[in-house]
Amino acid sequence: MEPMLCPNCKTNRTRFNLIEQQPRAVKLNPQTGEIEQEYTNDTLNPFHLPYRGPSYRVQCAACGLIENPEMFIKRAQHSSEMG
């Protein structure tokens, strides 16, 4: 973990919610929205791209902003370079 600073409220450096993302690859019925099939990385077909997003996101526990961790880390780095 690296130091973080909220890019929105610009004051919170200590209180965050780490939101783990556990994607499920599914095929939905277009009429009902019911899950027709669930895939694993080994069973994805060529038309179903695997999830390539972050494994977790960060929420500022002061203002509620939810972003990728890099946004909070870059803001902390930029802040330390400025002062």
Side-chain angles (χ1 to χ4, degrees):
M1 195 62 58
E2 295 185 52
M4 293 193 280
L5 172 61
C6 178
N8 185 52
C9 67
K10 300 174 181 67
T11 57
N12 180 29
R13 293 179 180 271
T14 59
R15 294 172 316 207
F16 301 97
N17 295 314
L18 303 180
I19 305 163
E20 293 182 5
Q21 301 199 128
Q22 299 176 343
R24 290 174 58 194
V26 298
K27 179 180 180 183
L28 299 181
N29 178 299
Q31 282 77 39
T32 66
E34 295 291 319
I35 294 175
E36 291 184 345
Q37 186 171 1
E38 190 157 353
Y39 303 101
T40 66
N41 281 343
D42 296 331
T43 63
L44 288 178
N45 66 41
F47 301 105
H48 198 119
L49 295 174
Y51 178 73
R52 292 197 171 101
S55 59
Y56 71 98
R57 295 191 63 163
V58 176
Q59 180 181 34
C60 173
C63 75
L65 176 74
I66 298 174
E67 272 296 344
N68 290 341
E70 295 78 24
M71 296 294 291
F72 291 85
I73 293 166
K74 285 180 184 174
R75 184 68 183 169
Q77 289 169 344
H78 179 72
S79 175
S80 68
E81 290 168 6
M82 298 294 290

